[in-house]
């Protein structure tokens, strides 16, 4: 089913929200038809797994239906739904992890008194291109992202994967923009640490 | 003079082009005489690229392609909720 990208003006949107609040079945069908594609794309990117993505989109719509009376119209419906599905997807990753969370400190490089790294960085023989070419190595990298501690993982996902800017990310996660910057930096450094053993050797060595 | 520790701290700002010019100068100067830090910078850039691109699956379904079964399931779930609350 193709989704339409109806752009309603403020008055039409308010009217549409009114119909949703009144429980109008037709309005709900329209809403789902319009938004499901975009929401599914978001869930797929964050979760990397079709079944999880479907579950999350379904949950997101149900949450939205239940909360429609609380929707204040300060932002557009599509923005509101986007937030709901992003939060639902981030929550889903949390429930997927089985191992206890590693502390971010354990994933950051350690330094000697003279300011040098304790473990001297080694050149990575493998390239990003090689990793991206193979389904297996892509899945491996996704697994490493999942291993990051939640607070840092969420920022990496929103900033680098969902391409949200610092301000939007801060609002969604309810933290300061400065916290977002610091966490993004640490998340990337931590991911680099996790990638390091896999990237040192080139393919076929 | 910048230490390797400081180099790592400024990495994100550097790659975002947000280092003030004096710090940028010392940062690049550090790279001139510290090959391990060049390796670290390269690996950091690769990491960022991988983080960004690994989630865009070239073999997956086209983004925004929603199966009708999913849409049906969502609408059915809503009807169940609605009838349950009557």
């Amino acid at each position: 089913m193709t989704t339409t990208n109806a752009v309603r003006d403020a008055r039409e949107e308010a009217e549409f929200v009114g119909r949703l609040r009144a429980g109008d079945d037709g309005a709900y069908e329209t809403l789902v038809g319009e938004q499901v594609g975009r929401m599914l794309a978001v869930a797929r990117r964050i979760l990397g797994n079709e079944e999880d993505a479907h579950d999350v989109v379904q949950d997101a719509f149900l949450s939205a239906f239940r909360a429609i009376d609380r929707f204040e119209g300060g932002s557009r419906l599509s923005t509101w739904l986007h937030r709901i599905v992003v939060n639902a997807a981030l929550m889903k990753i949390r429930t997927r992890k089985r191992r206890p969370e590693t502390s971010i400190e354990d994933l950051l490089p350690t330094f000697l008194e003279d300011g040098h790294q304790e473990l001297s960085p080694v050149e990575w023989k493998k390239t990003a291109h090689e990793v991206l070419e193979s389904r297996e190595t892509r899945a491996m990298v996704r697994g490493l992202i999942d291993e990051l501690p939640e607070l840092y993982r969420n920022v990496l996902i929103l900033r680098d994967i969902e391409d949200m800017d610092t301000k939007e990310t801060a609002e969604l996660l309810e933290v300061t923009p400065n916290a977002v910057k610091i966490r993004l930096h640490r998340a990337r450094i931590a991911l680099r640490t996790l990638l390091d053993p896999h990237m040192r050797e080139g393919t076929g060595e | 003079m910048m230490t390797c520790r400081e180099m790592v701290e400024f990495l994100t700002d550097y790659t975002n082009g947000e280092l003030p010019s004096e710090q940028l100068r010392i940062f690049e100067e550090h790279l001139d005489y510290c090959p391990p830090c060049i390796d670290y910078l390269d690996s950091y850039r690769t990491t960022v690229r991988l983080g960004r691109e690994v989630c865009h699956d070239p073999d997956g379904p086209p983004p925004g392609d929603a199966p009708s079964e999913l849409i049906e399931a969502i609408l059915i779930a809503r009807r169940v909720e609605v009838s349950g609350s009557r």
Side-chain angles (χ1 to χ4, degrees):
Chain A
M1 179 177 175
T2 51
T3 59
T4 55
N5 235 339
V7 177
R8 284 176 283 267
D9 64 26
R11 190 188 52 81
E12 288 167 332
E13 177 101 329
E15 217 168 38
F16 187 64
V17 172
R19 286 170 59 202
L20 290 168
R21 288 213 174 107
D24 180 334
D25 287 345
Y28 275 102
E29 277 194 44
T30 302
L31 182 69
V32 174
E34 279 174 5
Q35 302 293 334
V36 70
R38 194 176 333 159
M39 286 166 74
L40 188 57
V42 170
R44 277 173 176 151
R45 273 194 303 269
I46 296 178
L47 296 166
N49 168 309
E50 194 66 7
E51 195 183 322
D52 284 353
H54 284 205
D55 285 348
V56 156
V57 168
Q58 202 167 313
D59 287 347
F61 270 112
L62 274 182
S63 296
F65 298 156
R66 288 172 191 146
I68 191 68
D69 288 340
R70 292 203 298 278
F71 172 69
E72 280 165 29
S75 58
R76 299 190 62 85
L77 268 173
S78 54
T79 309
W80 183 63
L81 285 167
H82 179 255
R83 258 191 208 201
I84 292 176
V85 76
V86 166
N87 277 316
L90 295 180
M91 194 79 75
K92 186 75 167 180
I93 299 182
R94 189 203 280 176
T95 66
R96 283 207 291 221
K97 283 168 55 74
R98 272 168 253 287
R99 273 168 291 180
E101 194 163 271
T102 319
S103 132
I104 192 72
E105 299 299 329
D106 291 343
L107 297 172
L108 302 178
T110 47
F111 296 90
L112 304 168
E113 268 188 35
D114 64 2
H116 286 111
Q117 285 204 38
E118 195 172 341
L119 296 170
S120 194
V122 167
E123 186 196 356
W124 282 5
K125 295 273 179 14
K126 217 175 236 165
T127 64
H129 180 72
E130 284 166 11
V131 172
L132 292 169
E133 269 193 323
S134 141
R135 169 155 277 176
E136 264 164 21
T137 48
R138 296 171 75 98
M140 183 271 295
V141 176
R142 271 191 172 279
L144 296 180
I145 293 173
D146 277 8
E147 274 185 48
L148 294 172
E150 182 179 353
L151 294 182
Y152 302 87
R153 178 178 72 227
N154 287 354
V155 172
L156 187 95
I157 288 174
L158 297 186
R159 290 282 288 115
D160 282 349
I161 294 168
E162 281 305 292
D163 240 348
M164 290 171 65
D165 65 30
T166 301
K167 183 168 173 284
E168 290 175 293
T169 303
E171 280 169 8
L172 196 142
L173 296 176
E174 295 177 349
V175 296
T176 64
N178 206 45
V180 169
K181 287 185 179 175
I182 293 171
R183 287 182 195 177
L184 176 63
H185 172 72
R186 290 180 154 197
R188 287 172 170 179
I189 299 290
L191 182 58
R192 188 229 160 258
T193 303
L194 290 172
L195 279 167
D196 188 47
H198 302 274
M199 301 292 285
R200 289 175 167 215
E201 301 308 318
T203 322
E205 267 167 59
Chain B
M1 294 254 292
M2 190 177 272
T3 63
C4 302
R5 170 182 227 132
E6 286 162 331
M7 194 286 301
V8 172
E9 268 170 51
F10 290 128
L11 259 184
T12 300
D13 288 338
Y14 174 72
T15 53
N16 284 346
E18 285 170 4
L19 269 190
S21 56
E22 185 53 24
Q23 269 176 342
L24 177 61
R25 190 186 63 78
I26 345 179
F27 186 96
E28 290 181 333
E29 209 171 67
H30 179 91
L31 292 179
D32 282 342
Y33 62 81
C34 190
C37 276
I38 296 180
D39 288 334
Y40 196 88
L41 171 62
D42 286 343
S43 63
Y44 172 87
R45 284 186 165 133
T46 301
T47 300
V48 174
R49 185 179 160 196
L50 283 176
R52 287 188 172 138
E53 296 186 32
V54 82
C55 298
H56 295 95
D57 183 0
D59 300 323
D65 179 41
S68 50
E69 300 85 52
L70 173 60
I71 294 171
E72 263 312 299
I74 293 166
L75 295 174
I76 287 170
R78 181 186 161 256
R79 277 177 227 137
V80 167
E81 278 250 321
V82 168
S83 60
S85 63
R86 282 195 185 128

